[in-house]
Coordinates of all heavy atoms in Angstrom, one line a residue:
E398 N 67.0 183.6 116.0 CA 68.1 184.5 116.0 C 67.7 185.9 116.3 O 66.8 186.4 115.6 CB 68.8 184.4 114.6 CG 70.2 185.0 114.6 CD 70.9 184.8 113.2 OE1 70.7 183.6 112.7 OE2 71.5 185.6 112.8
L399 N 68.3 186.5 117.3 CA 68.0 187.9 117.6 C 69.2 188.8 117.2 O 70.3 188.5 117.6 CB 67.8 188.1 119.1 CG 66.6 187.4 119.7 CD1 66.6 187.4 121.2 CD2 65.3 188.0 119.2
Q400 N 68.9 189.7 116.3 CA 69.9 190.6 115.8 C 69.4 192.1 115.8 O 68.6 192.4 115.0 CB 70.3 190.3 114.4 CG 71.1 189.0 114.2 CD 71.5 188.8 112.8 OE1 70.9 189.3 111.9 NE2 72.6 188.0 112.6
G401 N 69.7 192.8 116.9 CA 69.2 194.2 117.0 C 67.7 194.2 117.2 O 67.1 193.4 118.0
P402 N 67.0 194.9 116.3 CA 65.6 195.0 116.4 C 64.9 193.8 115.6 O 63.7 193.8 115.6 CB 65.2 196.3 115.7 CG 66.3 196.5 114.7 CD 67.6 195.9 115.3
W403 N 65.6 192.9 115.0 CA 65.0 191.8 114.2 C 65.1 190.5 114.9 O 66.1 190.1 115.4 CB 65.7 191.8 112.9 CG 65.4 192.9 112.0 CD1 66.2 194.0 111.8 CD2 64.2 193.1 111.2 NE1 65.6 194.8 110.9 CE2 64.4 194.3 110.5 CE3 63.1 192.3 111.0 CZ2 63.4 194.8 109.6 CZ3 62.1 192.8 110.1 CH2 62.3 194.0 109.5
L404 N 64.0 189.8 114.8 CA 64.0 188.4 115.2 C 63.8 187.6 113.9 O 62.9 187.9 113.1 CB 62.8 188.1 116.1 CG 62.3 186.6 116.2 CD1 63.4 185.8 116.9 CD2 61.0 186.5 117.0
T405 N 64.7 186.6 113.7 CA 64.7 185.8 112.5 C 64.4 184.3 113.0 O 65.2 183.8 113.8 CB 65.9 185.8 111.7 OG1 66.2 187.2 111.4 CG2 65.8 185.0 110.4
R414 N 60.9 186.8 109.5 CA 61.5 187.9 110.2 C 60.4 188.7 110.8 O 59.4 189.0 110.1 CB 62.4 188.7 109.2 CG 63.6 188.0 108.7 CD 64.4 188.7 107.8 NE 64.8 190.1 108.2 CZ 66.0 190.5 108.7 NH1 66.9 189.6 108.7 NH2 66.2 191.7 109.1
V415 N 60.7 189.2 112.0 CA 59.7 190.0 112.7 C 60.5 191.1 113.3 O 61.6 190.9 114.0 CB 59.0 189.2 113.9 CG1 58.1 190.1 114.7 CG2 58.3 188.0 113.3
H416 N 60.1 192.3 113.1 CA 60.7 193.5 113.7 C 60.1 193.8 115.1 O 59.0 193.5 115.3 CB 60.5 194.8 112.8 CG 61.4 195.9 113.1 ND1 61.1 196.8 114.1 CD2 62.6 196.2 112.7 CE1 62.0 197.7 114.2 NE2 63.0 197.4 113.3
R417 N 60.9 194.3 116.0 CA 60.5 194.6 117.3 C 59.2 195.5 117.4 O 58.4 195.3 118.3 CB 61.7 195.3 118.1 CG 61.4 195.5 119.5 CD 62.5 196.2 120.2 NE 63.7 195.4 120.2 CZ 64.9 195.9 120.0 NH1 65.1 197.2 119.8 NH2 66.0 195.2 120.0
Q418 N 59.1 196.4 116.5 CA 57.9 197.3 116.5 C 56.6 196.6 116.1 O 55.6 197.1 116.4 CB 58.2 198.5 115.5 CG 59.3 199.4 116.0 CD 59.5 200.5 115.1 OE1 59.0 200.5 113.9 NE2 60.3 201.5 115.5
E419 N 56.7 195.4 115.5 CA 55.5 194.7 115.1 C 55.0 193.9 116.3 O 53.8 193.4 116.3 CB 55.9 193.6 114.0 CG 56.3 194.2 112.7 CD 56.7 193.2 111.7 OE1 55.9 192.2 111.5 OE2 57.8 193.3 111.2
V420 N 55.8 193.8 117.4 CA 55.4 192.9 118.5 C 54.8 193.8 119.6 O 55.4 194.8 120.1 CB 56.7 192.2 119.1 CG1 56.3 191.4 120.3 CG2 57.3 191.4 118.0
L470 N 54.6 185.6 121.0 CA 54.8 187.0 120.6 C 53.4 187.4 120.0 O 52.9 186.8 119.0 CB 55.8 187.1 119.5 CG 57.3 187.1 119.9 CD1 57.7 185.8 120.5 CD2 58.2 187.4 118.7
A490 N 63.8 190.2 127.2 CA 64.6 191.4 127.2 C 64.6 192.1 125.9 O 64.7 193.3 125.8 CB 66.0 191.0 127.7
W491 N 64.6 191.3 124.8 CA 64.6 191.9 123.4 C 63.4 192.8 123.2 O 63.6 193.9 122.7 CB 64.5 190.8 122.4 CG 64.4 191.2 121.0 CD1 65.3 191.7 120.2 CD2 63.2 191.0 120.2 NE1 64.8 192.0 118.9 CE2 63.5 191.5 118.9 CE3 61.9 190.6 120.4 CZ2 62.6 191.6 117.9 CZ3 61.0 190.6 119.4 CH2 61.3 191.1 118.2
K492 N 62.2 192.5 123.7 CA 61.1 193.3 123.5 C 61.2 194.6 124.4 O 60.8 195.7 124.0 CB 59.8 192.6 123.9 CG 58.5 193.4 123.9 CD 58.3 194.1 122.6 CE 57.1 195.0 122.6 NZ 57.1 196.1 121.7
E494 N 63.9 196.2 125.2 CA 64.9 197.1 124.7 C 64.4 198.2 123.8 O 64.9 199.2 123.7 CB 66.0 196.3 123.9 CG 66.9 195.4 124.7 CD 67.8 194.5 123.8 OE1 67.8 194.7 122.6 OE2 68.4 193.6 124.4
G495 N 63.3 197.9 123.1 CA 62.7 198.9 122.2 C 61.9 199.9 122.7 O 61.5 200.6 123.3

Side-chain angles (χ1 to χ4, degrees):
E398 193 172 322
L399 293 172
Q400 290 181 336
W403 289 98
L404 161 67
T405 304
R414 291 178 52 106
V415 177
H416 195 273
R417 184 183 297 139
Q418 292 178 348
E419 295 175 51
V420 179
L470 280 67
W491 173 74
K492 175 57 183 151
E494 289 174 9

